[in-house]
Coordinates of all heavy atoms in Angstrom, one line a residue:
I69 N -7.9 7.9 4.0 CA -7.6 9.0 4.9 C -7.3 10.2 4.2 O -7.6 11.3 4.6 CB -6.4 8.5 5.8 CG1 -6.9 7.4 6.7 CG2 -5.8 9.6 6.5 CD1 -5.7 6.7 7.6
E70 N -6.6 10.0 3.0 CA -6.3 11.3 2.2 C -7.5 12.0 1.8 O -7.7 13.2 1.8 CB -5.4 10.9 0.9 CG -4.1 10.5 1.3 CD -3.2 10.1 0.0 OE1 -3.8 9.3 -0.8 OE2 -2.1 10.5 -0.1
L71 N -8.6 11.1 1.3 CA -9.9 11.7 0.9 C -10.5 12.5 2.0 O -11.1 13.5 1.8 CB -10.8 10.6 0.4 CG -10.6 10.1 -1.0 CD1 -11.5 8.9 -1.3 CD2 -10.7 11.2 -2.0
R72 N -10.5 11.8 3.2 CA -11.2 12.5 4.3 C -10.6 13.8 4.7 O -11.3 14.7 5.1 CB -11.1 11.6 5.6 CG -12.1 10.5 5.5 CD -12.1 9.6 6.8 NE -12.8 8.5 6.7 CZ -13.3 7.7 7.6 NH1 -12.7 7.8 8.8 NH2 -13.9 6.6 7.4
L73 N -9.2 13.8 4.7 CA -8.6 15.2 5.0 C -8.3 16.0 3.8 O -7.8 17.1 3.9 CB -7.3 14.8 5.7 CG -7.5 14.7 7.2 CD1 -7.9 13.4 7.6 CD2 -6.3 15.1 8.0
N74 N -8.6 15.5 2.6 CA -8.4 16.4 1.5 C -6.9 16.6 1.2 O -6.7 17.8 1.0 CB -9.3 17.6 1.3 CG -9.5 18.2 0.0 OD1 -9.1 17.4 -1.0 ND2 -9.8 19.4 -0.1
R75 N -6.0 15.9 1.7 CA -4.6 16.1 1.7 C -3.8 14.9 1.4 O -4.3 13.7 1.8 CB -4.1 16.6 3.1 CG -4.6 18.0 3.4 CD -4.3 18.2 5.0 NE -4.5 19.6 5.3 CZ -5.7 20.1 5.6 NH1 -6.8 19.3 5.4 NH2 -5.8 21.3 6.0
S76 N -2.7 15.0 0.8 CA -1.9 13.7 0.6 C -1.2 13.2 1.9 O -1.1 14.1 2.8 CB -0.7 14.1 -0.5 OG 0.1 15.0 0.2
I77 N -0.7 12.0 1.9 CA -0.1 11.5 3.1 C 1.1 12.4 3.4 O 1.3 12.8 4.6 CB 0.3 10.1 2.8 CG1 -0.9 9.1 2.7 CG2 1.3 9.5 4.0 CD1 -1.8 9.0 3.9
P78 N 2.0 12.8 2.6 CA 3.2 13.7 2.9 C 2.7 14.9 3.6 O 3.2 15.4 4.5 CB 3.8 13.9 1.5 CG 3.4 12.7 0.7 CD 2.1 12.3 1.0
K79 N 1.5 15.5 3.0 CA 1.0 16.7 3.5 C 0.5 16.4 4.9 O 0.6 17.4 5.8 CB -0.2 17.3 2.6 CG -0.4 18.7 2.6 CD 0.5 19.5 1.7 CE 0.5 21.0 2.0 NZ 1.7 21.5 2.7
I80 N -0.2 15.4 5.2 CA -0.8 15.1 6.5 C 0.5 14.9 7.5 O 0.3 15.6 8.7 CB -1.6 13.9 6.5 CG1 -2.8 14.0 5.6 CG2 -2.0 13.4 7.9 CD1 -3.6 12.7 5.4
F81 N 1.5 14.3 7.1 CA 2.6 14.2 8.1 C 3.2 15.7 8.3 O 3.6 15.9 9.4 CB 3.7 13.2 7.5 CG 3.4 11.8 7.9 CD1 2.3 11.1 7.4 CD2 4.4 11.2 8.5 CE1 2.2 9.7 7.7 CE2 4.3 9.9 9.0 CZ 3.1 9.0 8.4
E82 N 3.3 16.4 7.3 CA 4.0 17.8 7.4 C 3.1 18.6 8.3 O 3.7 19.2 9.2 CB 4.1 18.3 5.9 CG 4.9 19.5 5.9 CD 4.8 20.1 4.4 OE1 4.9 19.3 3.5 OE2 4.6 21.2 4.4
E83 N 1.8 18.6 8.1 CA 0.9 19.6 8.8 C 0.6 19.1 10.2 O 0.6 20.0 11.0 CB -0.4 19.7 8.0 CG -0.4 20.9 7.1 CD -1.8 21.2 6.5 OE1 -2.7 21.3 7.2 OE2 -1.9 21.0 5.2
F84 N 0.4 17.9 10.4 CA -0.1 17.4 11.6 C 0.9 16.4 12.4 O 0.6 16.3 13.7 CB -1.4 16.5 11.4 CG -2.4 17.4 10.7 CD1 -2.8 17.0 9.5 CD2 -3.0 18.6 11.2 CE1 -3.8 17.7 8.7 CE2 -4.0 19.3 10.5 CZ -4.4 18.9 9.3
G85 N 1.7 15.9 11.7 CA 2.7 15.0 12.4 C 2.4 13.5 12.3 O 1.2 13.2 12.1
E86 N 3.3 12.7 12.6 CA 3.0 11.2 12.5 C 2.1 10.8 13.5 O 1.2 10.0 13.3 CB 4.3 10.5 12.5 CG 4.0 8.9 12.5 CD 5.2 8.0 12.7 OE1 6.3 8.5 12.5 OE2 5.0 6.7 12.8
S87 N 2.1 11.2 14.8 CA 1.1 10.8 15.7 C -0.3 11.1 15.6 O -1.1 10.3 15.7 CB 1.6 11.3 17.3 OG 1.5 12.7 17.3
H88 N -0.6 12.2 14.8 CA -1.9 12.5 14.4 C -2.3 11.5 13.3 O -3.4 11.0 13.3 CB -2.0 14.0 13.9 CG -3.4 14.4 13.7 ND1 -4.2 14.5 14.7 CD2 -4.0 14.6 12.5 CE1 -5.4 14.9 14.1 NE2 -5.2 14.9 12.8
F89 N -1.3 11.2 12.5 CA -1.7 10.2 11.4 C -2.0 8.9 12.0 O -3.0 8.3 11.6 CB -0.5 10.1 10.4 CG -0.7 9.1 9.4 CD1 -1.7 9.2 8.3 CD2 0.0 7.9 9.3 CE1 -1.8 8.2 7.4 CE2 -0.2 6.8 8.4 CZ -1.1 7.0 7.4
R90 N -1.3 8.5 13.0 CA -1.6 7.2 13.7 C -3.0 7.3 14.3 O -3.7 6.3 14.3 CB -0.6 6.9 14.7 CG 0.9 6.7 14.2 CD 1.0 5.7 13.0 NE 2.2 5.7 12.3 CZ 2.4 5.1 11.3 NH1 1.5 4.5 10.6 NH2 3.8 5.0 10.6
A91 N -3.3 8.4 14.9 CA -4.8 8.5 15.5 C -5.7 8.4 14.3 O -6.8 7.8 14.6 CB -4.8 9.9 16.3
L92 N -5.4 9.1 13.3 CA -6.4 8.9 12.1 C -6.6 7.6 11.5 O -7.8 7.1 11.4 CB -6.0 9.8 11.0 CG -5.9 11.4 11.1 CD1 -5.1 12.0 10.0 CD2 -7.4 11.9 11.1
E93 N -5.4 6.7 11.7 CA -5.6 5.3 11.2 C -6.5 4.6 12.2 O -7.3 3.7 11.8 CB -4.2 4.7 11.2 CG -3.3 5.2 10.0 CD -2.1 4.4 9.9 OE1 -1.3 4.2 11.0 OE2 -1.6 3.8 8.9
Q94 N -6.2 4.8 13.4 CA -7.0 4.1 14.5 C -8.5 4.4 14.4 O -9.4 3.5 14.3 CB -6.5 4.4 15.8 CG -7.1 3.7 16.9 CD -6.6 3.9 18.4 OE1 -6.0 5.0 18.5 NE2 -6.9 3.0 19.4
T95 N -8.8 5.7 14.3 CA -10.2 6.1 14.1 C -10.9 5.4 12.8 O -11.9 5.0 12.9 CB -10.3 7.6 14.1 OG1 -9.7 8.2 15.2 CG2 -11.7 8.2 14.0
F96 N -10.1 5.5 11.8 CA -10.6 4.9 10.5 C -11.0 3.4 10.8 O -12.0 3.0 10.4 CB -9.5 4.9 9.5 CG -9.9 4.3 8.1 CD1 -10.7 4.9 7.3 CD2 -9.5 3.0 8.0 CE1 -11.1 4.2 6.0 CE2 -9.9 2.3 6.8 CZ -10.6 3.0 5.9
L97 N -10.2 2.7 11.5 CA -10.4 1.2 11.7 C -11.6 1.1 12.7 O -12.5 0.3 12.4 CB -9.2 0.6 12.3 CG -8.3 -0.1 11.4 CD1 -7.2 -0.9 12.1 CD2 -9.1 -1.1 10.4
E98 N -11.6 2.0 13.7 CA -12.7 1.8 14.8 C -14.1 2.1 14.1 O -15.1 1.6 14.5 CB -12.4 2.8 15.9 CG -11.4 2.2 16.9 CD -10.9 3.2 17.9 OE1 -11.1 4.4 17.7 OE2 -10.0 2.8 18.7
Q99 N -14.1 3.0 13.1 CA -15.3 3.3 12.4 C -15.6 2.6 11.2 O -16.5 2.8 10.5 CB -15.3 4.9 12.0 CG -15.2 5.7 13.3 CD -15.1 7.1 13.0 OE1 -14.8 7.5 11.9 NE2 -15.1 8.1 14.1
F100 N -14.8 1.6 10.8 CA -14.9 0.9 9.6 C -16.2 0.2 9.5 O -16.7 -0.5 10.4 CB -13.8 -0.2 9.5 CG -13.6 -0.6 8.1 CD1 -12.9 0.1 7.1 CD2 -14.2 -1.9 7.6 CE1 -12.8 -0.3 5.8 CE2 -14.2 -2.2 6.3 CZ -13.4 -1.5 5.4
P101 N -17.0 0.4 8.4 CA -18.4 -0.2 8.3 C -18.4 -1.6 8.4 O -17.7 -2.3 7.7 CB -18.8 0.4 7.0 CG -17.7 0.9 6.3 CD -16.5 1.2 7.2
A102 N -19.2 -2.1 9.4 CA -19.4 -3.5 9.7 C -19.9 -4.2 8.4 O -19.7 -5.5 8.3 CB -20.3 -3.7 10.9
N103 N -20.7 -3.6 7.6 CA -21.2 -4.3 6.4 C -20.4 -4.3 5.2 O -20.8 -4.8 4.2 CB -22.7 -3.7 6.1 CG -22.6 -2.2 5.8 OD1 -21.4 -1.7 5.7 ND2 -23.6 -1.6 5.3
F104 N -19.1 -3.8 5.3 CA -18.2 -3.8 4.2 C -17.8 -5.3 4.0 O -17.5 -6.1 4.8 CB -17.0 -3.0 4.4 CG -15.9 -3.0 3.3 CD1 -16.2 -2.2 2.1 CD2 -14.9 -3.9 3.2 CE1 -15.3 -2.1 1.2 CE2 -14.2 -3.9 2.2 CZ -14.1 -3.0 1.1
H105 N -17.8 -5.7 2.7 CA -17.3 -7.0 2.3 C -16.4 -6.9 1.0 O -16.9 -6.6 -0.1 CB -18.5 -8.0 2.0 CG -17.9 -9.3 1.6 ND1 -17.4 -10.2 2.5 CD2 -18.0 -9.9 0.4 CE1 -17.0 -11.3 1.9 NE2 -17.5 -11.2 0.7
G106 N -15.1 -7.0 1.3 CA -14.2 -6.7 0.0 C -12.8 -7.0 0.6 O -12.4 -7.7 1.5
V107 N -11.9 -6.2 -0.2 CA -10.5 -6.3 0.0 C -9.9 -5.0 0.5 O -10.3 -3.9 0.1 CB -9.9 -6.7 -1.4 CG1 -8.2 -6.9 -1.2 CG2 -10.4 -7.9 -2.0
I108 N -9.1 -5.1 1.6 CA -8.6 -3.9 2.2 C -7.0 -3.9 2.2 O -6.4 -5.0 2.7 CB -9.1 -3.7 3.7 CG1 -10.5 -4.0 3.7 CG2 -8.7 -2.4 4.2 CD1 -11.1 -4.2 5.2
A109 N -6.4 -3.0 1.6 CA -4.9 -2.8 1.7 C -4.7 -1.7 2.7 O -5.2 -0.7 2.7 CB -4.4 -2.4 0.4
V110 N -3.8 -2.1 3.7 CA -3.5 -1.3 4.9 C -2.2 -0.7 4.9 O -1.2 -1.3 4.5 CB -3.6 -2.4 6.0 CG1 -3.1 -2.0 7.3 CG2 -5.1 -2.8 6.3
G111 N -2.1 0.6 5.2 CA -0.8 1.4 5.3 C 0.3 0.6 6.2 O -0.2 -0.2 7.2
G112 N 1.4 0.5 5.8 CA 2.4 -0.4 6.3 C 2.6 -0.3 8.0 O 3.0 -1.2 8.5
G113 N 2.4 0.9 8.5 CA 2.4 1.1 9.8 C 1.3 0.7 10.7 O 1.3 0.6 11.9
M114 N 0.1 0.5 10.0 CA -1.1 0.5 10.8 C -1.3 -0.7 11.6 O -1.6 -0.5 12.8 CB -2.4 0.4 9.8 CG -3.7 0.7 10.4 SD -5.0 0.3 9.2 CE -5.6 1.9 9.0
P115 N -0.8 -2.0 11.3 CA -1.0 -3.1 12.2 C 0.1 -2.9 13.4 O 0.1 -3.8 14.3 CB -0.5 -4.3 11.3 CG -0.5 -3.9 10.0 CD -0.2 -2.2 10.0
C116 N 0.9 -1.9 13.4 CA 1.9 -1.8 14.4 C 1.7 -0.8 15.4 O 2.8 -0.4 16.2 CB 3.3 -1.7 13.8 SG 3.6 -3.0 12.5
H117 N 0.6 -0.2 15.4 CA 0.3 1.0 16.3 C -1.0 0.8 17.0 O -1.9 0.1 16.4 CB 0.2 2.3 15.5 CG 1.7 2.7 15.1 ND1 2.1 2.4 13.9 CD2 2.6 3.6 15.7 CE1 3.4 2.9 13.8 NE2 3.7 3.5 14.9
N118 N -1.2 1.3 18.3 CA -2.4 1.1 19.0 C -2.9 -0.3 19.0 O -2.2 -1.1 19.0 CB -3.3 2.2 18.4 CG -2.7 3.6 18.4 OD1 -2.2 4.1 19.3 ND2 -2.9 4.3 17.2
N119 N -4.2 -0.4 19.1 CA -4.9 -1.8 19.0 C -5.3 -2.2 17.6 O -6.2 -3.0 17.5 CB -6.1 -1.7 20.0 CG -7.2 -0.8 19.5 OD1 -6.7 0.2 18.8 ND2 -8.4 -0.9 19.9
N120 N -4.6 -1.7 16.6 CA -5.1 -1.8 15.2 C -4.9 -3.2 14.8 O -5.8 -3.7 14.1 CB -4.2 -0.9 14.2 CG -4.4 0.5 14.5 OD1 -5.4 0.9 15.2 ND2 -3.6 1.3 14.0
L121 N -3.8 -4.0 15.3 CA -3.8 -5.3 14.9 C -4.9 -6.2 15.3 O -5.5 -7.0 14.5 CB -2.5 -6.0 15.4 CG -2.1 -7.4 15.1 CD1 -2.1 -7.6 13.6 CD2 -0.9 -7.9 15.8
D122 N -5.4 -6.0 16.5 CA -6.5 -6.8 17.0 C -7.8 -6.4 16.2 O -8.6 -7.3 15.7 CB -6.8 -6.5 18.5 CG -5.7 -7.3 19.3 OD1 -5.1 -8.2 18.9 OD2 -5.6 -6.7 20.5
L123 N -8.0 -5.1 16.0 CA -9.1 -4.7 15.1 C -9.1 -5.4 13.8 O -10.1 -5.9 13.2 CB -9.1 -3.2 14.9 CG -9.4 -2.3 16.3 CD1 -9.2 -0.8 16.0 CD2 -10.8 -2.7 16.8
L124 N -7.9 -5.4 13.1 CA -7.8 -6.0 11.8 C -8.0 -7.5 11.8 O -8.7 -8.0 11.0 CB -6.3 -5.8 11.2 CG -6.0 -4.2 10.8 CD1 -4.5 -4.1 10.6 CD2 -6.8 -4.0 9.6
L125 N -7.6 -8.1 12.8 CA -7.7 -9.7 12.8 C -9.2 -9.9 13.1 O -9.8 -11.1 12.6 CB -6.9 -10.2 14.1 CG -5.4 -10.3 13.8 CD1 -4.5 -10.5 15.1 CD2 -4.9 -11.3 12.7
N126 N -9.9 -9.0 13.7 CA -11.4 -9.3 13.8 C -12.2 -8.9 12.5 O -13.3 -9.3 12.4 CB -11.9 -8.4 15.0 CG -11.6 -9.0 16.3 OD1 -11.6 -10.4 16.4 ND2 -11.3 -8.2 17.3
L127 N -11.5 -8.1 11.7 CA -12.2 -7.5 10.5 C -12.3 -8.5 9.4 O -13.1 -8.4 8.4 CB -11.6 -6.2 10.2 CG -12.2 -5.3 9.2 CD1 -13.5 -4.6 9.8 CD2 -11.4 -4.0 9.0
G128 N -11.4 -9.5 9.4 CA -11.3 -10.4 8.3 C -10.1 -11.3 8.2 O -9.4 -11.4 9.3
T129 N -9.8 -11.9 7.2 CA -8.7 -12.8 7.0 C -7.3 -11.8 6.7 O -7.4 -11.1 5.6 CB -8.8 -13.8 5.9 OG1 -10.0 -14.5 6.2 CG2 -7.6 -14.7 5.8
V130 N -6.5 -11.8 7.7 CA -5.3 -11.0 7.5 C -4.2 -11.7 6.8 O -3.8 -12.9 7.2 CB -4.9 -10.3 8.7 CG1 -3.7 -9.4 8.5 CG2 -5.9 -9.6 9.4
V131 N -3.5 -11.2 5.7 CA -2.5 -11.8 5.0 C -1.4 -11.0 4.9 O -1.5 -9.8 4.5 CB -3.0 -12.1 3.5 CG1 -1.8 -12.7 2.7 CG2 -4.1 -13.2 3.6
Y132 N -0.2 -11.4 5.4 CA 1.0 -10.8 5.4 C 1.8 -11.0 4.1 O 2.2 -12.1 3.9 CB 1.9 -11.1 6.7 CG 3.3 -10.5 6.6 CD1 3.6 -9.3 6.3 CD2 4.3 -11.2 7.4 CE1 5.0 -8.8 6.2 CE2 5.6 -10.8 7.4 CZ 6.0 -9.5 6.8 OH 7.2 -9.1 6.8
L133 N 2.2 -9.9 3.4 CA 3.1 -10.0 2.1 C 4.4 -9.9 2.6 O 4.9 -8.7 2.8 CB 2.5 -9.0 1.1 CG 1.1 -9.0 0.8 CD1 0.9 -8.0 -0.4 CD2 0.7 -10.5 0.2

Side-chain angles (χ1 to χ4, degrees):
I69 291 171
E70 287 180 319
L71 279 175
R72 284 189 188 184
L73 271 81
N74 197 23
R75 288 165 173 81
S76 66
I77 297 291
K79 207 80 196 106
I80 295 171
F81 271 66
E82 189 189 312
E83 265 186 60
F84 307 113
E86 181 179 349
S87 60
H88 187 71
F89 174 71
R90 299 303 174 196
L92 292 168
E93 286 188 312
Q94 185 181 15
T95 307
F96 176 83
L97 265 189
E98 285 170 352
Q99 297 176 347
F100 197 79
N103 61 357
F104 179 86
H105 180 68
V107 182
I108 309 166
V110 160
M114 191 186 254
C116 310
H117 290 87
N118 305 313
N119 58 339
N120 297 345
L121 179 62
D122 288 336
L123 294 172
L124 289 166
L125 289 166
N126 280 325
L127 197 60
T129 305
V130 179
V131 173
Y132 170 33
L133 304 184

